[in-house]
Structure formats: C-alpha cells, structure tokens
C-alpha cells in the first residue's frame, strides 16, 4: 500500500502507534479518581464543590454506573491480573470494563484474543476470565 495508510485491523493489533502506546483507564479507575477529586473539592474552604461542572458530574455518574468493580483493592487486582496476560492497554481496559463471561464473548469484544494470534488457546482466555470472576466474587 505505497503512499496510502495501511488500514486498521484490531485482530492483528494494527490500530495505530498512538493507541498501542496510550495509557488507558478502566471505568472503575476513573470513578476512583473522580471520587477523590470530588472529596478534595468538598474540603475546599471557598465552596469548591459548588463550582463542579455539569460535565464533571455527568462523567462521575457515568463511570459509577458502568464500573464493574467498586472496591479500590479489587480495581488494583483487576489491572494486575490482566497485566500478567501481556495485554495492550486497550485490550486490558475493554476486558476490565465489559467483563465478558466466555472466551467467545471476549474474542468478539477483543478480536486480537483469537487463538493463533497472541493467545495460543481458548483455555488461556478462559483462565483470564476466571481470574476476573474470582476478583468480582470476593469483592
């Protein structure tokens, strides 16, 4: 494809260098950050909590609603667990946010997990999903 950009392909992780290097956060991580910021604003003496924008409030409501993990220790465990599987950031966050139940569901959401690619079998994907479900179960 001389002179033209190569077409993106998530199955082969051809998503652009900027996405491969970007640091991504799961909804549950953003929820913790925004909650901490909210607490800081409430403790400000000049009425900082009154100055919170509508975007901040809506963002906070969104990540709270769609966070699969609420406990900060569980959030840390999820990132650590998924990091052991050598996932790129967007794969890690997609799986951490959507919490698929089966290998087929995970592969549909994250096509680069298909066996023959970076994962040698569905067993490895199943093990990863089982690790996540244990975190959720004991949260």
């Amino acid at each position: 494809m001389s002179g033209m950009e190569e077409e993106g392909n998530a199955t082969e992780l051809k998503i652009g260098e900027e996405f491969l290097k970007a640091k991504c956060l799961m909804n549950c991580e953003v929820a913790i950050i925004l909650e901490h910021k909210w607490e800081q604003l409430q403790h400000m003496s000049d009425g900082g909590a009154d100055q919170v924008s509508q975007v901040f409030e809506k963002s906070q409501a969104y990540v709270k609603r769609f966070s699969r993990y609420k406990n900060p220790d569980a959030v840390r465990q999820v990132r650590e667990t998924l990091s052991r599987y050598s996932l790129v950031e967007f794969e890690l966050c997609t799986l951490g946010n959507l919490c698929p139940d089966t290998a087929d569901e995970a592969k549909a959401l994250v096509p680069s997990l298909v066996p023959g690619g970076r994962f040698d079998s569905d067993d490895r994907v199943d093990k990863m999903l089982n690790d996540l479900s244990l975190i959720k179960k004991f949260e």
Side-chain angles (χ1 to χ4, degrees):
M1 299 182 102
S2 62
M4 293 176 56
E5 282 190 38
E6 189 173 327
E7 188 174 324
N9 184 341
T11 305
E12 299 172 7
L13 289 178
K14 292 181 182 176
I15 57 171
E17 196 65 28
E18 63 276 4
F19 287 111
L20 286 175
K21 291 182 177 180
K23 178 70 173 172
C24 299
L25 294 174
M26 294 178 288
N27 290 335
C28 51
E29 292 170 314
V30 175
I32 291 169
I33 291 167
L34 293 181
E35 183 63 31
H36 180 69
K37 183 65 176 174
W38 175 254
E39 289 170 3
Q40 285 179 329
L41 290 171
Q42 287 181 321
H43 289 96
M44 291 177 62
S45 60
D46 61 352
D50 297 334
Q51 299 173 10
V52 172
S53 73
Q54 188 176 17
V55 172
F56 182 95
E57 290 176 347
K58 287 185 176 192
S59 298
Q60 187 177 29
Y62 177 88
V63 293
K64 278 185 177 180
R65 179 176 181 199
F66 292 105
S67 292
R68 301 292 181 153
Y69 304 91
K70 309 295 184 200
N71 179 318
D73 289 332
V75 171
R76 181 187 47 75
Q77 284 182 315
V78 168
R79 181 164 285 277
E80 287 174 1
T81 297
L82 290 174
S83 294
R84 287 194 298 255
Y85 288 92
S86 302
L87 300 169
V88 296
E89 285 287 320
F90 90 93
E91 293 172 319
L92 185 150
C93 289
T94 300
L95 294 170
N97 283 338
L98 300 175
C99 299
D101 292 321
T102 66
D104 287 338
E105 188 178 349
K107 292 183 297 186
L109 296 168
V110 183
S112 53
L113 298 180
V114 173
R118 293 175 325 115
F119 278 67
D120 49 0
S121 72
D122 280 354
D123 292 342
R124 188 161 177 236
V125 177
D126 285 331
K127 168 86 171 93
M128 178 176 56
L129 298 177
N130 185 56
D131 292 347
L132 287 180
S133 69
L134 289 174
I135 295 168
K136 184 66 178 164
K137 182 178 179 179
F138 294 109
E139 181 179 30

PDB file of all heavy atoms in Angstrom, residues 6 26 49 73:
ATOM      1  N   GLU A   6      -1.942   2.169   5.893  1.00  0.00           N
ATOM      2  CA  GLU A   6      -2.441   0.813   5.997  1.00  0.00           C
ATOM      3  C   GLU A   6      -3.732   0.816   6.811  1.00  0.00           C
ATOM      4  O   GLU A   6      -3.849   1.507   7.815  1.00  0.00           O
ATOM      5  CB  GLU A   6      -1.394  -0.066   6.681  1.00  0.00           C
ATOM      6  CG  GLU A   6      -1.745  -1.525   6.626  1.00  0.00           C
ATOM      7  CD  GLU A   6      -0.621  -2.385   7.159  1.00  0.00           C
ATOM      8  OE1 GLU A   6       0.554  -2.010   6.990  1.00  0.00           O
ATOM      9  OE2 GLU A   6      -0.934  -3.432   7.735  1.00  0.00           O
ATOM     10  N   MET A  26      -9.633   2.016  33.064  1.00  0.00           N
ATOM     11  CA  MET A  26     -10.942   1.380  33.132  1.00  0.00           C
ATOM     12  C   MET A  26     -11.915   2.348  33.794  1.00  0.00           C
ATOM     13  O   MET A  26     -11.505   3.246  34.537  1.00  0.00           O
ATOM     14  CB  MET A  26     -10.860   0.075  33.941  1.00  0.00           C
ATOM     15  CG  MET A  26     -10.015  -0.992  33.290  1.00  0.00           C
ATOM     16  SD  MET A  26      -9.890  -2.492  34.310  1.00  0.00           S
ATOM     17  CE  MET A  26      -8.828  -1.910  35.630  1.00  0.00           C
ATOM     18  N   ALA A  49     -16.938  22.638  45.801  1.00  0.00           N
ATOM     19  CA  ALA A  49     -17.921  21.661  45.331  1.00  0.00           C
ATOM     20  C   ALA A  49     -19.060  22.333  44.577  1.00  0.00           C
ATOM     21  O   ALA A  49     -19.688  21.738  43.722  1.00  0.00           O
ATOM     22  CB  ALA A  49     -18.471  20.848  46.498  1.00  0.00           C
ATOM     23  N   ASP A  73      -9.249  -1.926  46.106  1.00  0.00           N
ATOM     24  CA  ASP A  73      -8.339  -3.075  46.081  1.00  0.00           C
ATOM     25  C   ASP A  73      -8.675  -4.020  44.930  1.00  0.00           C
ATOM     26  O   ASP A  73      -7.778  -4.560  44.279  1.00  0.00           O
ATOM     27  CB  ASP A  73      -8.393  -3.836  47.409  1.00  0.00           C
ATOM     28  CG  ASP A  73      -7.745  -3.069  48.542  1.00  0.00           C
ATOM     29  OD1 ASP A  73      -6.822  -2.264  48.271  1.00  0.00           O
ATOM     30  OD2 ASP A  73      -8.169  -3.252  49.693  1.00  0.00           O
TER      31      ASP A  73
END
